[in-house]
Amino acid sequence: MSSSPQSLRLAVIGSGPAGVYAAETLLRSEAVKSGRLEVQADIFDRLPAPFGLIRYGVAPDHPRIKGIITALHRILGRGDIRFLGHVEFGTDLTIEDLREHYDAVVFATGALKDADLDIPGIELDGSYGAADFVAWYDGNPDYPRTWPLEAEQVAVIGNGNVALDVARVLSKSADELLRTEIPANVHEGLAAARTTDVHVFGRRGPAQAKFSPLETRELAHPKGVQVVMDPRDLEQISEAEWEAIKADKRTDQVVQSFVNWLEEQQRREAAGEEPTDHHGGPVTRRLHMHFWHRPVEVLGEDGSVTGMRFERTRLDEEGRLEGTGEFVDYEMQAVYRAVGYFGSELPGVPYDSSRGVISNAAGRVTEADGTVLPGLYANGWIKRGPVGLIGATKSDAIETVGSLLEDLESGQLPTAPERDNDAIVRLLDSRGVEYTTWEGWMALDAHEKALGAAAVDADGQPRARIKVVDREEMVRIARAGMSLPAEV
């Protein structure tokens, strides 16, 4: 006679890819598929809507990346993972509450803050973190509704895809973004922006840029935008480096885009022709790509940004970056640093402040001295730092869930005393937490799509969605669509 399956209660903090993939990996494990293990999985998020970084950290004009929401939606919509939104870990629920109700907890809260850029003047008015700007244009309810966009000349510091997202949104016309789900307040703000020139600066050369070929090509697509290249940046590439570029398909595609833009730019200059955008139309905004520029200082006057100072760089014979001693100043009225993300500390969870991650070994949460805290795990950027693409989160989840299953098999996993699946909901109700559910998200999702269908983009076509930004409104719409009582 077969024995009864073992029961496991799992809580995941964070409903972005790292959280969803962690729960999905466990539910698709051999132990579950064979019937040896039964899992009750709950995913909590501090925001009323699910999907984390994909909803609130990816540029709205990236439908290919946004399409990952379709996969996450399919997983959460199956019914074997319960979503509970608008629940703040550390306030609405503590680590003690989770240990009372769950055998294992996976923290997948990502990295939300901007990494520091420690140079003089970075604190001046007009100096911003890219993560904050992304959260604004993505309609994150925890950020202000307005953004200062009076600067005509803007610097974006960084050579990754986030830097490109910021530069593209700043240089694109607001009406072009009506094809996306941007909220009304974002469209209004960008339509009133005075930006004429966006400058993207990287410390290294074109071959070291962390751009994807697709995102690079997209820089030139917006109407009215001319990409401007500095000939010195490509002339500085050595013959050996050109050979390495040609040997790597991705790098070659990226650098070739730069070469093509420069050649067209030089051809027009030699012929005395006026520059045009990618579509042959007039230029109203310029996007300047700068390489071999190390940020030295944000220049200011009366507490506000007036410019940026850089040192030109180069690669030495060993391929290491070094300064040339040549300094260049640019007039700017705003600076956005896109030099990486940094994870936030969670109450009661060991944290490595030097790396911005939860202290862990193979996903097992540890004290600073390496002592494992049974039943606590980490996944995604809060586990390994903000590196790698979304696909890397899946392999991360395999390692973390593997550690969890090993601990379960060896008897190292604690057993939560409260086994009632509805006990956590009763606890939230008793504390007056206006949590949202998957049913509530479906109501909010339908509402946002209806807002889009009732509006049109610049071409007169119905919009797919318009995001609701106000947190209270999100909660009201979601809870109105829930079968659970709004008040207890």
Side-chain angles (χ1 to χ4, degrees):
M1 188 174 72
S2 61
S3 58
S4 300
Q6 191 172 2
S7 172
L8 173 66
R9 293 187 48 74
L10 172 73
V12 178
I13 310 301
S15 67
V20 175
Y21 290 146
E24 169 74 347
T25 300
L26 179 60
L27 288 167
R28 291 290 172 262
S29 66
E30 183 58 35
V32 173
K33 289 193 291 186
S34 67
R36 292 183 286 112
L37 180 66
E38 286 184 350
V39 176
Q40 292 175 317
D42 289 342
I43 292 184
F44 297 88
D45 203 289
R46 64 184 182 85
L47 293 171
F51 310 131
L53 173 73
I54 302 301
R55 180 172 165 94
Y56 291 115
V58 175
D61 58 347
H62 267 183
R64 185 176 61 87
I65 302 297
K66 287 285 186 182
I68 296 172
I69 282 185
T70 302
L72 301 182
H73 195 286
R74 186 163 50 246
I75 294 169
L76 289 179
R78 285 197 314 251
D80 54 352
I81 301 172
R82 180 167 58 179
F83 170 74
L84 292 167
H86 197 222
V87 178
E88 182 79 32
F89 172 74
T91 303
D92 299 324
L93 285 179
T94 65
I95 189 71
E96 290 77 19
D97 295 327
L98 294 176
R99 285 197 173 281
E100 175 78 13
H101 292 79
Y102 300 95
D103 309 315
V105 181
V106 176
F107 296 99
T109 50
L112 305 176
K113 298 190 300 182
D114 284 286
D116 292 332
L117 180 60
D118 188 16
I119 59 174
I122 199 67
E123 77 290 342
L124 289 169
D125 186 27
S127 173
Y128 310 108
D132 292 339
F133 182 57
V134 171
W136 172 74
Y137 67 59
D138 267 334
N140 188 309
D142 292 343
Y143 287 76
R145 300 291 180 271
T146 60
W147 191 272
L149 291 164
E150 298 84 7
E152 294 181 359
Q153 296 155 305
V154 178
V156 180
I157 313 301
N159 258 188
N161 284 335
V162 174
L164 287 199
D165 284 350
V166 169
R168 196 177 59 256
V169 170
L170 285 169
S171 58
K172 210 169 196 176
S173 71
D175 283 354
E176 279 193 274
L177 288 168
L178 283 175
R179 298 192 187 103
T180 75
E181 59 191 30
I182 64 165
N185 65 294
V186 176
H187 175 258
E188 181 181 342
L190 292 172
R194 298 172 58 189
T195 311
T196 59
D197 291 82
V198 178
H199 298 256
V200 181
F201 295 93
R203 293 185 306 123
R204 297 179 179 271
Q208 288 79 42
K210 302 299 183 184
F211 311 149
S212 69
L214 175 62
E215 287 210 325
T216 304
R217 291 192 296 270
E218 285 177 347
L219 286 175
H221 287 176
K223 293 179 180 178
V225 173
Q226 177 200 10
V227 179
V228 180
M229 300 297 301
D230 184 342
R232 290 182 62 187
D233 292 342
L234 292 167
E235 291 167 359
Q236 193 170 318
I237 300 174
S238 67
E239 285 189 24
E241 193 176 0
W242 275 119
E243 291 180 9
I245 289 169
K246 295 298 182 183
D248 184 287
K249 184 178 180 181
R250 183 200 68 81
T251 305
D252 186 40
Q253 290 177 338
V254 169
V255 175
Q256 192 57 49
S257 290
F258 301 143
V259 171
N260 293 342
W261 292 332
L262 178 59
E263 289 178 347
E264 176 62 13
Q265 175 183 316
Q266 292 176 325
R267 185 194 68 76
R268 287 185 176 277
E269 289 172 354
E273 298 177 5
E274 288 294 319
T276 67
D277 67 10
H278 185 71
H279 310 277
V283 171
T284 57
R285 295 170 306 283
R286 288 164 294 277
L287 180 56
H288 306 258
M289 302 300 296
H290 303 274
F291 299 96
W292 311 109
H293 279 66
R294 181 178 67 86
V296 173
E297 182 179 0
V298 181
L299 307 176
E301 187 175 314
D302 297 328
S304 297
V305 171
T306 60
M308 279 286 298
R309 176 167 296 156
F310 296 87
E311 181 183 15
R312 294 280 306 190
T313 61
R314 64 190 172 205
L315 297 179
D316 66 14
E317 293 180 356
E318 281 74 41
R320 295 173 302 208
L321 193 71
E322 64 177 9
T324 64
E326 177 189 350
F327 293 87
V328 189
D329 290 357
Y330 295 85
E331 182 180 344
M332 302 286 170
Q333 297 84 48
V335 173
Y336 292 79
R337 67 183 187 278
V339 294
Y341 287 103
F342 205 77
S344 300
E345 188 170 1
L346 299 172
V349 183
Y351 178 73
D352 183 344
S353 59
S354 65
R355 297 177 55 220
V357 299
I358 291 174
S359 301
N360 74 93
R364 296 181 178 92
V365 175
T366 66
E367 297 284 10
D369 63 3
T371 303
V372 172
L373 297 180
L376 301 184
Y377 303 87
N379 194 50
W381 281 4
I382 198 63
K383 167 190 174 183
R384 58 185 165 86
V387 292
L389 300 176
I390 292 169
T393 304
K394 291 185 177 181
S395 56
D396 243 7
I398 292 171
E399 180 184 63
T400 294
V401 170
S403 295
L404 189 160
L405 290 171
E406 286 177 8
D407 295 343
L408 178 66
E409 184 70 23
S410 62
Q412 301 299 308
L413 207 62
T415 301
E418 177 57 74
R419 312 302 293 176
D420 185 346
N421 200 35
D422 293 326
I424 196 71
V425 175
R426 290 195 295 270
L427 178 64
L428 292 172
D429 282 332
S430 70
R431 292 177 177 173
V433 178
E434 292 188 306
Y435 57 86
T436 60
T437 63
W438 183 254
E439 186 180 29
W441 158 247
M442 293 299 289
L444 177 59
D445 182 47
H447 180 85
E448 291 184 341
K449 289 177 178 176
L451 290 177
V456 295
D457 63 19
D459 297 323
Q461 298 299 311
R463 298 177 61 187
R465 173 194 303 271
I466 298 177
K467 275 184 183 174
V468 175
V469 178
D470 184 75
R471 180 186 277 265
E472 291 185 4
E473 185 180 1
M474 292 174 71
V475 172
R476 178 186 60 78
I477 294 167
R479 288 182 70 83
M482 290 162 48
S483 57
L484 295 175
E487 294 184 4
V488 177

